[in-house]
Amino acid sequence: MTREEKQALVDELSGKMQSHNSFYIVDASVMSVAKINDFRRLAFNRGLEYKVYKNTFIRKALDTLGHDTSEMDAALKGQSGVLFSTESGSAPAKLLRDFYKAQAYPRGVEPKPVLKGAYVDASIYIGSNQLETLTTIKGKQELLGELIGLLQSPAKNVISALSSGGNKLAGILKTLSEKEAA
């Protein structure tokens, strides 16, 4: 591979990392080809992309993000594949969790592919023990949606109370006027 081809590959990877709000680094080195293909198919069906890169390419692409990504060096050992997500930071973690369940790994056996590290909205998570945390994490869009819902809720409650109160007040006035007339 020529120097220009390597640089083009790093540029492509860097562009993907900048355009995706989250990506996970996993190790699928001991998996069979059939299992890796199953994993890729499941990822594709969920709108995720999985691709294997050399650790040096990943390191060079991480350097272009503009954040301190030195913590990710711990994840850049052995074979590394990158799982990209555009929708939410928890989508790859949920994919890994569901893939592990479908494979029915016996107790004590570390499931594959192994989560080595994750980058979610400029936050870094290292190690497979972070998987449960990552499955519950919410992306910026989800948090904004919840915030807007919370802000709209009091206004809806006031309008609802006023409109239902108006009906009650009209009913009370009608009852009082009927009592006076009788």
Side-chain angles (χ1 to χ4, degrees):
M1 187 177 263
T2 67
R3 182 172 290 199
E4 291 79 22
E5 291 172 332
K6 290 178 183 179
Q7 187 58 46
L9 190 59
V10 169
D11 291 342
E12 173 194 337
L13 180 57
S14 175
K16 283 184 181 184
M17 287 181 174
Q18 291 174 4
S19 66
H20 292 76
N21 61 346
S22 66
F23 56 88
Y24 287 41
I25 298 175
V26 298
D27 179 7
S29 60
V30 295
M31 292 176 64
S32 68
V33 172
K35 295 273 187 205
I36 290 174
N37 287 339
D38 290 343
F39 180 71
R40 285 181 195 266
R41 190 174 304 109
L42 186 60
F44 178 79
N45 290 340
R46 294 190 181 191
L48 305 172
E49 179 185 353
Y50 174 73
K51 193 168 182 182
V52 176
Y53 292 97
K54 289 181 72 172
N55 289 328
T56 53
F57 294 160
I58 296 171
R59 175 75 260 155
K60 288 178 181 179
L62 285 170
D63 289 339
T64 65
L65 291 178
H67 300 99
D68 179 23
T69 57
S70 58
E71 289 180 66
M72 289 294 265
D73 289 343
L76 298 178
K77 308 255 188 285
Q79 183 184 11
S80 297
V82 183
L83 193 57
F84 294 101
S85 173
T86 54
E87 55 188 64
S88 75
S90 63
K94 290 176 182 175
L95 167 76
L96 288 168
R97 183 191 60 198
D98 294 345
F99 187 75
Y100 295 163
K101 285 181 183 176
Q103 300 305 309
Y105 285 98
R107 182 168 269 203
V109 175
E110 186 173 34
K112 304 289 181 193
V114 176
L115 173 64
K116 295 179 4 177
Y119 179 92
V120 180
D121 293 329
S123 297
I124 296 174
Y125 303 85
I126 301 295
S128 59
N129 59 341
Q130 298 291 321
L131 186 64
E132 282 305 311
T133 302
L134 289 165
T135 57
T136 59
I137 204 165
K138 294 183 180 177
K140 286 181 183 177
Q141 297 299 329
E142 292 169 304
L143 291 173
L144 284 173
E146 285 184 12
L147 181 63
I148 290 171
L150 288 171
L151 291 173
Q152 288 179 341
S153 180
K156 288 181 181 175
N157 290 341
V158 168
I159 292 170
S160 174
L162 288 175
S163 63
S164 67
N167 292 339
K168 287 181 184 176
L169 185 60
I172 291 171
L173 289 175
K174 182 178 178 186
T175 304
L176 288 175
S177 65
E178 288 174 358
K179 281 187 179 181
E180 289 178 5

